[in-house]
Amino acid sequence: MRGAAPYAAEFAFDGMVYAALVFSTIAKGRIVAIDTSAAESAPGFVHVMSHYNAPRMKPMMPWASSEKAAGNDALPIMQDDRIRWNGQPIAVVLAETQEQADYAASLVRATCEAEPATTSFAQAKANGTETAMLGGQPVHIEIGDAEAALATAAVSVDATFHTPYQNHNAIEPHAVTVAWHGDELEVHDASQSVAHNAWSLATMLGIDEHQVHVTSPYVGGAFGGKFMGTHQVLAAAASRLAGRPVRLALSRAGVYRLVGGRALTEQRLAIGAARDGRFVALIHTGTSTHIPGSPHPELAQFVSYSSYATDTLKIDLQWAYLDMVANAAMRAPGEAVGSFALESAVDEVAVALGMDPIELRIRNEPATDPLSGLPFSSRNIVKAWRAGAKRFGWERRNPTPRAVREGDWLIGMGCGAGSHMYAREPGGSARLTLAGDGTVEVAIAAHDAGMGTATVQTQIIAEQLALRPEQIELRLADSALPGLVPGVGSSQTTTAAATTVAAKHEVVAELLKLVRGDSPLAGLTADDVTPRDGGLAKIDDPGRHESYASILTRAGRDELTIDASGGNPTESEQYSMYSYGAMFCEVRVNAITGETRVSRLLGSMDCGRVMNARTAAGQFRGGMIMAMGLALTEETLYDERTARIMNPSLAEYHIPVHADVPKIDVIWTGIPDPHAPLGARGIGELSMNGTAAAIANAIYNATGKRVRQLPITLDKLL
Ligand code: MOS
């Protein structure tokens, strides 16, 4: 540890002050008065901002409401006396040190007038729900009469599943350090969307996009929580007001109050099957909590769009509105909780049929996309199931629940399928500069929040241009760089890879224009040559080679700059594209205490070409560990009278720790997708899906208890 990697809360400016937030303690109402007199006489106090003196700013812009919008809601920030959720920031206190800011903030007294608020799921549902919208379309699909088919099916399962609120808990809490230089704003953020955040800040503050510069070189985990948030806006506004640079680092509790997480869901999952296992009806409906204007539907039902062949299908999502902070995207939004319900129900059908659950899934493999009818670009989930089953020792599983016991420990095995839709961002572009010494700099506003973007993209550039990794300088995560490449939807590798492939073609074309008549490459066209050994060579005659350095130097050029664009992702209009996972779990459940221990986990993935085995395996393991939290421990507890989150800390919100996590095995088919750039589909969110069901199904196999409400805590097993 040298401390050489600057995180957002480690950039320092001369004269910088520290911010602390004051949060509302009611769910809805009006601020009558804020008394800051005690805070103002506290040691080190510098300034306080509230709706009384905050600069006028436009409201937050939610994701997709514009090309670079990246907020979780459409709310104004500190512009009026309204309280919209419990935990809303109502004042920002600035002081010379963080401790002084925290203390002074503790002295701020707000008088608020509470209004009736919707603070429980039951109340929200009773108020009436609305059909969820996605991309301007209602989330409601009916193919055939699924209810009728279910009613007459030989075997049927019709069950309700519940998943709780969950919060983001990246190892690095959200932070931002900002400084104004005249009318220019410098922002050091912990972000997965630097270009979006620069544009968003500029738009909200009423300045030009180019007056805001956001960098985010190192991020301690993002997972969908680190897009545009409230805290960056507050820091920029407070800094302008105080005339001092500001660092605003959210406390762990601050992250819970401001950022939001996974929305609460209630899902009906019904499957009707023929005796031979064929699905005749699939119904996936339900309700999730929401606030108006939020762009994140928590579309649990999405997993049922394309997973299985079925004669009839019914999908519906309702939104129930609560006066709480808007939910954020949280690793595999919708899919993580939806796959828990779907894959648990598939397991229940297998039990009802007396059929192996893997065989049941394979029997319902669709030939083409069940909804769109499009061909799959590449779908090898059956291979993944077979390979995973063999490696996991699935044939040793006793299908009878509660049949395997070691002392007090009941042992069971379960499985679940996961999938994640392929995505590639249309805004992918990069600047590639080939220098006279043959080295290359590639600049792209993509992000590395720990997933290995820097490593994998360096590797891809090296491969495409036949350079050594040390000849490549990759610049990332800076809004001044080209490319609109948010770290979203497991899409960065494909988005950036497409730009690199495009850049390679342009490099070849441009270099061929520069080769001299006496070059070994003279007279060759782009179709004749390929990058080789730090230069270009004739494909079928590698002896005809000239290095990049030589081509440039002899042409009298210091460098060659290429602006490349990856183009529109038309592949996903022509093909149904998903990554797949066959997830396996073994649990040990204590028959006396109900304590569950995951003893083995295996992910058998089919995600196209794996670009880097080490970083990919890390992504898969990370998602499976997060899914262990989803299955067994994570739950945001809130007071149903006040909507106050009661456990905003790692002491009371339990994420898996090392002692909880077994050795996790990951394998993959490695079959390149012929329709994805370089054959690679996304991998980041994939292993979140199917894993919680695999754990729940293993618990059923161990205990005979079917728990349909997450997290599966020990009380539910006694
Ligand atoms: Mo994500 S939940 O698209 O970081």
Side-chain angles (χ1 to χ4, degrees):
M1 288 265 287
R2 294 185 300 142
Y7 285 78
E10 294 176 327
F11 285 89
F13 291 107
D14 287 342
M16 184 176 78
V17 293
Y18 296 78
L21 301 178
V22 180
F23 305 105
S24 80
T25 55
I26 60 167
K28 188 177 179 180
R30 197 174 74 81
I31 303 167
V32 178
I34 299 180
D35 177 2
T36 56
S37 52
E40 286 177 42
S41 49
F45 172 88
V46 172
H47 215 306
V48 60
M49 182 176 83
S50 66
H51 71 281
Y52 294 119
N53 63 346
R56 292 304 95 189
M57 297 181 279
K58 294 212 178 75
M60 182 64 81
M61 280 147 299
W63 253 113
S65 61
S66 163
E67 190 192 23
K68 295 182 187 173
N72 290 337
D73 57 49
L75 301 175
I77 296 175
M78 222 166 258
Q79 297 296 296
D80 56 28
D81 62 358
R82 300 296 308 164
I83 305 278
R84 298 173 173 88
W85 79 87
N86 197 325
Q88 173 184 320
I90 57 171
V92 183
V93 176
L94 302 178
E96 299 292 348
T97 70
Q98 186 67 59
E99 292 74 15
Q100 290 174 332
D102 291 342
Y103 177 64
S106 77
L107 301 176
V108 172
R109 291 287 168 267
T111 309
C112 296
E113 220 168 64
E115 293 168 15
T118 306
T119 51
S120 76
F121 190 37
Q123 193 186 346
K125 283 186 291 180
N127 291 347
T129 61
E130 270 181 9
T131 304
M133 301 295 287
L134 184 67
Q137 297 295 318
V139 179
H140 181 91
I141 299 165
E142 291 200 47
I143 299 176
D145 188 342
E147 299 287 358
L150 180 73
T152 55
V155 163
S156 66
V157 163
D158 192 344
T160 304
F161 295 82
H162 291 91
T163 65
Y165 270 112
Q166 291 192 330
N167 269 93
H168 275 288
N169 279 291
I171 191 82
E172 177 207 24
H174 297 52
V176 65
T177 305
V178 304
W180 288 91
H181 311 289
D183 283 334
E184 310 244 312
L185 179 64
E186 180 180 350
V187 180
H188 298 287
D189 200 356
S191 173
Q192 54 193 117
S193 53
V194 286
H196 293 69
N197 290 13
W199 177 87
S200 300
L201 278 165
T203 308
M204 295 173 76
L205 295 162
I207 56 178
D208 188 83
E209 182 179 3
H210 298 104
Q211 291 171 282
V212 183
H213 183 198
V214 179
T215 78
S216 183
Y218 296 94
V219 183
F223 309 111
K226 285 182 177 158
F227 296 113
M228 186 64 210
T230 304
H231 61 290
Q232 296 103 321
V233 185
L234 290 176
S239 173
R240 168 141 269 186
L241 203 62
R244 306 265 300 261
V246 167
R247 175 178 300 162
L248 200 172
L250 294 184
S251 62
R252 186 61 67 181
V255 176
Y256 279 67
R257 309 242 181 267
L258 260 61
V259 178
R262 231 185 265 293
L264 190 157
T265 76
E266 179 179 85
Q267 301 171 56
R268 177 186 175 211
L269 210 312
I271 298 174
R275 270 280 149 228
D276 65 359
R278 226 172 14 85
F279 292 174
V280 296
L282 175 56
I283 298 173
H284 196 166
T285 58
T287 308
S288 65
T289 53
H290 204 72
I291 75 152
S294 155
H296 302 301
E298 207 62 63
L299 182 50
Q301 287 68 19
F302 183 69
V303 295
S304 294
Y305 284 22
S306 298
S307 293
Y308 296 108
T310 172
D311 292 350
T312 64
L313 177 70
K314 180 174 164 185
I315 300 282
D316 186 80
L317 173 62
Q318 297 291 310
W319 275 334
Y321 296 101
L322 268 149
D323 293 308
M324 284 186 79
V325 67
N327 66 300
M330 189 160 155
R331 201 159 169 111
E335 296 171 346
V337 289
S339 62
F340 161 65
L342 173 64
E343 294 298 306
S344 293
V346 170
D347 199 68
E348 294 192 47
V349 174
V351 170
L353 286 164
M355 187 181 284
D356 180 84
I358 296 176
E359 295 310 317
L360 175 63
R361 289 179 172 91
I362 291 173
R363 186 152 301 181
N364 288 287
E365 260 297 285
T368 56
D369 187 286
L371 259 192
S372 65
L374 291 173
F376 291 110
S377 64
S378 173
R379 179 172 166 123
N380 301 286
I381 180 76
V382 176
K383 278 203 173 74
W385 276 122
R386 299 280 187 232
K390 185 153 179 249
R391 188 162 170 117
F392 195 69
W394 185 254
E395 81 284 353
R396 294 199 303 273
R397 172 180 182 261
N398 187 328
T400 307
R402 225 181 163 85
V404 183
R405 187 171 179 140
E406 263 180 40
D408 290 340
W409 294 90
L410 301 165
I411 301 171
M413 291 189 203
C415 66
S419 62
H420 182 72
M421 193 170 80
Y422 170 88
R424 178 159 78 81
E425 290 294 313
S429 58
R431 179 164 305 134
L432 185 150
T433 308
L434 192 56
D437 62 359
T439 62
V440 71
E441 182 195 90
V442 176
I444 180 165
H447 306 80
D448 197 340
M451 60 280 236
T453 312
T455 302
V456 170
Q457 291 307 323
T458 301
Q459 203 187 324
I460 289 173
I461 296 159
E463 177 191 271
Q464 290 298 305
L465 295 179
L467 292 167
R468 295 188 307 278
E470 60 271 24
Q471 294 176 296
I472 294 158
E473 193 188 329
L474 183 64
R475 296 179 58 208
L476 292 173
D478 182 324
S479 65
L481 303 179
L484 188 57
V485 188
V488 65
S490 307
S491 65
Q492 278 201 138
T493 298
T494 54
T495 305
T499 66
T500 300
V501 171
K504 174 183 103 170
H505 290 303
E506 290 198 42
V507 165
V508 170
E510 291 303 313
L511 286 174
L512 284 178
K513 289 182 198 161
L514 297 178
V515 300
R516 291 168 31 136
D518 59 352
S519 166
L521 303 172
L524 299 181
T525 68
D527 292 337
D528 302 327
V529 301
T530 189
R532 195 178 176 101
D533 291 338
L536 298 182
K538 186 159 189 284
I539 290 171
D540 54 8
D541 183 5
R544 290 182 66 179
H545 175 276
E546 185 171 7
S547 71
Y548 300 135
S550 168
I551 297 171
L552 288 176
T553 310
R554 298 203 307 140
R557 292 284 293 267
D558 293 335
E559 59 178 40
L560 172 69
T561 298
I562 298 287
D563 284 298
S565 157
N568 278 329
T570 50
E571 64 274 23
S572 42
E573 290 160 18
Q574 291 158 8
Y575 297 94
S576 175
M577 298 181 77
Y578 290 84
S579 285
Y580 304 99
M583 316 308 287
F584 295 81
C585 173
E586 180 192 83
V587 294
R588 301 166 69 89
V589 181
N590 191 290
I592 317 279
T593 65
E595 175 187 353
T596 296
R597 287 276 147 197
V598 173
S599 46
R600 290 198 297 139
L601 273 180
L602 164 72
S604 177
M605 324 309 286
D606 175 51
C607 48
R609 178 182 169 200
V610 167
M611 304 308 295
N612 182 301
R614 184 180 290 249
T615 58
Q619 290 286 283
F620 293 141
R621 291 197 175 95
M624 290 160 80
I625 293 167
M626 204 159 165
M628 282 180 61
L630 171 69
L632 297 173
T633 57
E634 289 188 46
E635 178 169 20
T636 302
L637 300 167
Y638 62 100
D639 188 327
E640 293 204 342
R641 299 163 303 179
T642 61
R644 184 77 168 174
I645 294 173
M646 300 186 291
N647 59 342
S649 84
L650 291 175
E652 293 177 280
Y653 180 102
H654 296 151
I655 61 171
V657 297
H658 282 296
D660 297 318
V661 180
K663 190 169 155 26
I664 298 177
D665 200 6
V666 284
I667 57 174
W668 45 79
T669 62
I671 300 168
D673 188 320
H675 304 290
L678 303 180
R681 295 191 302 265
I683 63 170
E685 287 154 288
L686 173 59
S687 66
M688 227 11 246
N689 300 332
T691 305
I695 295 169
N697 295 338
I699 289 173
Y700 172 78
N701 181 242
T703 65
K705 292 204 167 73
R706 182 67 71 182
V707 181
R708 301 187 187 89
Q709 181 165 21
L710 296 183
I712 307 175
T713 44
L714 44 76
D715 50 297
K716 293 172 187 154
L717 293 170
L718 291 175

